[in-house]
Amino acid sequence: MKQLIVCVMVALAAIASVAQGNRADYRVVPLPNVINGIKSADFKLTDQCLVNYPAVNRDMERNAAMLSQYVEELTGIHLSTRPCRDAKSSVSNQDRSGNISLLIDSKVAGDEGYSILVTPRGVEISGRTAAGVFQGIQVLRKSLPAGKSMQILLPAAQVAGTPRFGYRGMHLDCSRHFFGVETVKRYLDIMALHGMNRLHWHLTDDQGWRIEIKKYPRLAEVGGWRNGTTLGHNSPVNDGIRYGGYYTQEEIRDIVRYAAERYITIIPEVDMPGHMLGALAAYPELGCSGGPYEVWGQWGVTDDILCVGKDHTLQFVKDVLDEVMELFPGEYIHIGGDESPRVRWQECPLCQQRIRDLGLKARGKQSPEALLQGWFTTQMQQYLSNHGRRIIGWDELLGCDIDTSATIMSWRGAEPGAQGALQGHDVIMTPVGPLYFDYYQTDKTWNEPTAFGGCNTLKKVYDFEPVAADLPADKRHHILGAQANVWTEYITCESQVQYQILPRMAALAEVQWLQPEDKDYQDFKARLPHLVDIYKHYGWTYRAKSLTQEDEDKTDN
Ligand code: TNX
């Protein structure tokens, strides 16, 4: 009897939840450009619905499987997928009825634009490309109420969007702390949910070399391990615990594939000629003094960098780049170029000989050594360009006399980026303020996990404008987009990574997708809790205090 009563109560509760209406809400983050309600009945999403896709299209087949997986993860409703083949290799009207259909439609605006049409008869998610359809899938996914249900009502509407910027990035430093394959994949999942499409993967640095290079096995085996890590902000205390790890080439291929399935391109960074202690520890002959060197257990900038007076060093870098290019098919390779002190070069007979051979003479603010870095960078740029690739470098490269085919990542503020654009460089905006997500998200730091410093609040991220107001019209196209950087000196585990990025990634997503006139912080804050429900549903860590009004920092006002 008792059991029967419980069953009846459970059944009543289920009916009540459907009766209340488990309704989708298309006002997601980032906000679609168009949400036009249609006066008509809702579409009922149940496990009777199929996800149709054009049979001949492999990408659309995967999109369909992904949509089905998302819906099931969020709501428990299982949708089968179905390949369709009408005369135009698409989905016939008859097949569309009662179902969700994924469609390629050349009329949808933008390479990654999407259009969603919901009527009582069916749901259509269209894009000019499969990547656009995937963005539409993310919007539909985010519109669903998270939690078990039997039926979800989708209000009849036309919803559409196209991103403002083509480059919508996140960065992850896996050198200072190492994050395994599953963590990187989850990072990509989080990016996909936020409509982002570029992962800048920082793979090498003074504190650890993290990518297997077959020709130089010691890079990972020796350069991938340090004997201990300083505690706190370079305190005199070192934990003395051997720390490290690296990705095998097979793991990298797996991650690159996983990203591509989510329409995310990975841009690997091999930082040079500075931030190279990992490599120097493995192959000391690559440095000016010949070593010995140790993989660093502290943070900061070391004077020990690659010796570019030796031809051997150049050959080494080219060999490494050969393997990197094989692993990463995207157009861009990031070659760093930041924080590269030149004191070793000033003292190194081989580097000085190179300067003389090249006839490099101080020019204005540029020392011969700065020009030597420019020469080195240009060598690598040309090497990559001969292989059909382009370089990205940190904004220090602007002082090194490199040509405008290099794309500049503006990190020491937004001004270097604007300067770079004026000179004709393409630019990606990643200024420390407010796009360093390793910085604190509040000025009340006492209850926060240790961070690098700074104060990049949710609101500051939201208010960031990548294109300087006074940038001339004919230079504005050089600003390709924006990216947040996640340096991991003080970020030791996955939940801390997630805490630093969520919900700031949501604010960045609106910077990347919306036109400035369409942004509205209060409206964003009202839409954010639903996205956070999805974070919770997936068990991701986020900074809950950023959701409440009370926590807004005085620095915001
Ligand atoms: C500067 S951004 C660096 C990194 C540090 C970061 C800490 C850049 C090109 N270099 O090496 O990890 O600051 O926020």
Side-chain angles (χ1 to χ4, degrees), residues 173 176 205 275 338-339 394 411 436 438-439 452 485 487 489:
D173 168 12
R176 275 54 179 276
D205 215 304
H275 288 280
D338 60 315
E339 298 177 327
W394 297 110
W411 74 278
Y436 269 37
D438 55 330
Y439 284 25
F452 187 89
N485 292 343
W487 300 100
E489 286 94 333

Side-chain angles (χ1 to χ4, degrees), residues 42-87:
D42 297 331
F43 176 82
K44 296 190 181 69
L45 182 70
T46 69
D47 62 7
Q48 299 302 301
C49 304
L50 300 171
V51 181
N52 294 317
Y53 62 92
V56 286
N57 191 322
R58 273 305 179 75
D59 292 335
M60 294 291 269
E61 177 176 2
R62 210 183 36 247
N63 278 346
M66 215 97 82
L67 173 59
S68 164
Q69 185 193 324
Y70 292 142
V71 171
E72 187 154 6
E73 282 168 357
L74 277 175
T75 68
I77 297 173
H78 174 79
L79 307 176
S80 297
T81 63
R82 175 174 65 173
C84 294
R85 195 188 302 268
D86 82 346

